[in-house]
Amino acid sequence: MRVSVIGASAPTDAAVSDAREVGRLLAERGHTVVCGGLGGVMRAACRGASEADGHTIGVLPGEDRAAANEYVDTAIATGLGHARNALVVMNGDAVIAVDGAGGTLSEVGFSSVYDRPIAGLDAPSAPHVEAVETPAAAVDYVEANVD
């Protein structure tokens, strides 16, 4: 399945470590990582997936595919700015949020609108977000809750 990994663009060191581990676990379990394609949590999740020979998709806010972080395999330029957050969520079967602020909250909202299960790892508290304690618990949750 495809899992959208969302979160902070300027994360804590702990969030970077968690996102990298989420990406690694997703790849090891045969899943594709979808994200916003830039830095922070997005880069860390893509790095973890890439190091485990997984596939990554970056849905970029701008018009230049070259703006994607170096761990994105498939870059999709949208020219939509933050409006691309809906596309990040729509292109995953489930969502894992790591840390985050306003942009993450918008993606959490779209996750609810599009009925995607969402695990939150030190993510903002919001309706429909299942708070989990570890990267493995986040991956377990989304695997168990996709139809």
Side-chain angles (χ1 to χ4, degrees):
M1 80 175 146
R2 289 182 179 180
V3 178
S4 300
V5 180
I6 62 174
S9 58
T12 64
D13 289 344
V16 168
S17 178
D18 284 345
R20 187 173 174 188
E21 181 68 1
V22 163
R24 182 186 68 77
L25 289 169
L26 288 169
E28 286 178 351
R29 295 184 191 188
H31 307 304
T32 296
V33 169
V34 178
C35 70
L38 299 177
V41 162
M42 298 168 280
R43 181 180 183 274
C46 287
R47 180 177 180 186
S50 180
E51 290 170 346
D53 295 321
H55 185 76
T56 60
I57 300 170
V59 182
L60 301 165
E63 298 176 9
D64 183 7
R65 290 190 314 262
N69 74 62
E70 67 271 36
Y71 301 106
V72 169
D73 295 314
T74 304
I76 301 169
T78 67
L80 295 173
H82 288 290
R84 71 69 154 90
N85 290 356
L87 300 176
V88 172
V89 170
M90 286 176 61
N91 282 284
D93 302 301
V95 178
I96 297 175
V98 182
D99 198 6
T104 304
L105 282 171
S106 75
E107 290 168 316
V108 166
F110 285 121
S111 300
S112 178
V113 168
Y114 296 118
D115 199 28
R116 301 302 197 262
I118 180 168
L121 189 57
D122 291 322
S125 178
H128 309 288
V129 176
E130 179 69 25
V132 296
E133 297 293 322
T134 66
V139 175
D140 290 343
Y141 177 79
V142 298
E143 284 181 327
N145 287 281
V146 170
D147 295 331

